Amino acid sequence: MRVLVITGAGVSAESGIPTFRGKDGYWRNFDPAKLATPEAFARDPELVWEWYRERRQRIRNAQPNAAHAAIAKLAQHADEFLLVTQNVDDLHARAGLAKQNMVQIHGDIFVTKCSRCDFRRRDYEQEQRDVVPKCPECDALMRPGVVWFGEQLTWDELQRIESYLDRGPCDLVIVAGTTATFGYIIDWALRANRHGGGLIEVNPEETPLSQFATRLVREPAAVALALLVNQLIEL
Ligand code: OAD
């Protein structure tokens, strides 16, 4: 089995991490889609950092759920496996999925990087001292090491996805817990499923991807993925 799984915020929802869109997505009346932008950071870096610090703390206190565990289990049973996640949390990794089987296309929330030079660190302790940390190399403001709206995806991460897709079609594609807002999500899912192996969407709501799915599972990811993966492994 050659498998591609694509996940979004809905997969971490049952771990208590709010999704971006929908009623739980708002933070202090701010729309996350407007806070996760270079413009918001330029206008009010303190506010953006406050939001990211709170999210980091929430993620540290959270535990992977049955959906993360099911995906890690599926990876162990597949001959070839890649997870492409839009989530910046570390719950897939903490559920046991190996780094080489995963691409975090929107980055890692625990990385802090300079807004000007190449300086970047994971779990950078120094930043705790200042509301808005400054770069030790060039003194510019530091920012969370994630991809914001309107920014390019990282070339290296994109290449990993491209080379996985180029190596051949998948026998199974699962897309779970994402509004599939970005065209590249749909594009990757369709390219992976180009020989019609099967494209399963796990999401309580309809999305732009639903029309292309060969199977729709309209249930929360933790319940649905645990069942689905057990069925697939038995097969
Ligand atoms: P969204 O918040 O846009 O969508 C969450 C999706 O999860 C929705 O389709 C929900 O129906 C679904 N959902 C909610 N609870 C669920 C559950 N328990 N099980 C399964 N599905 C559930 O999040 P994303 O699609 O991940 O990007 O958003 C994509 C990107 O937009 C994010 O990575 C972020 C955001 O802005 C950037 O910051 C660049």
Side-chain angles (χ1 to χ4, degrees):
M1 283 275 272
R2 184 159 209 276
V3 180
L4 176 73
V5 177
I6 302 180
T7 61
V11 159
S12 295
E14 287 157 276
S15 293
I17 315 291
T19 59
F20 279 84
R21 298 171 183 84
K23 60 175 170 34
D24 296 332
Y26 272 70
W27 175 75
R28 295 195 206 161
N29 292 328
F30 292 103
D31 177 355
K34 297 205 175 106
L35 273 185
T37 64
E39 292 77 21
F41 187 71
R43 198 170 43 239
D44 195 344
E46 288 185 16
L47 179 75
V48 172
W49 263 114
E50 251 186 274
W51 181 49
Y52 275 92
R53 283 212 171 88
E54 221 174 279
R55 287 175 60 202
R56 283 178 174 181
Q57 203 46 48
R58 193 185 270 264
I59 292 164
R60 282 192 188 100
N61 294 338
Q63 295 305 323
N65 65 50
H68 301 104
I71 292 166
K73 187 170 166 184
L74 182 59
Q76 284 174 354
H77 285 82
D79 298 314
E80 283 188 79
F81 182 95
L82 187 69
L83 169 75
V84 175
T85 184
Q86 296 161 90
N87 298 345
V88 295
D89 65 49
D90 58 356
L91 298 181
H92 281 297
R94 280 203 269 142
L97 188 67
K99 283 262 151 75
Q100 71 267 20
N101 284 334
M102 167 172 42
V103 177
Q104 281 186 288
I105 44 157
H106 291 165
D108 172 348
I109 194 167
F110 296 108
V111 169
T112 298
K113 67 179 185 185
C114 179
S115 57
R116 187 193 298 154
C117 75
D118 291 335
F119 184 85
R120 60 189 288 133
R121 288 284 183 281
R122 195 169 195 277
D123 299 320
Y124 183 57
E125 283 173 23
Q126 194 78 11
E127 76 188 47
Q128 305 298 342
R129 297 198 196 151
D130 306 311
V131 183
V132 179
K134 290 226 177 114
C135 177
E137 305 272 323
C138 77
D139 212 36
L141 298 185
M142 303 264 276
R143 52 165 279 183
V146 298
V147 177
W148 281 331
F149 284 106
E151 294 184 323
Q152 301 277 344
L153 300 179
T154 313
W155 195 85
D156 289 356
E157 307 291 39
L158 274 178
Q159 283 314 111
R160 289 183 59 207
I161 301 168
E162 289 299 324
S163 73
Y164 190 72
L165 294 177
D166 284 350
R167 281 207 302 278
C170 290
D171 304 300
L172 175 67
V173 183
I174 301 176
V175 182
T178 175
T179 40
T181 320
F182 300 112
Y184 46 77
I185 298 297
I186 297 177
D187 179 47
W188 291 330
L190 296 184
R191 276 171 61 199
N193 191 44
R194 61 190 178 270
H195 283 194
L199 201 180
I200 304 176
E201 178 176 64
V202 178
N203 196 316
E205 310 272 337
E206 178 155 346
T207 78
L209 188 88
S210 306
Q211 59 182 306
F212 304 110
T214 54
R215 182 170 164 196
L216 297 169
V217 184
R218 292 268 172 258
E219 282 176 67
V223 177
L225 278 173
L227 276 172
L228 186 66
V229 167
N230 283 339
Q231 281 169 8
L232 289 167
I233 289 170
E234 276 170 26
L235 277 177

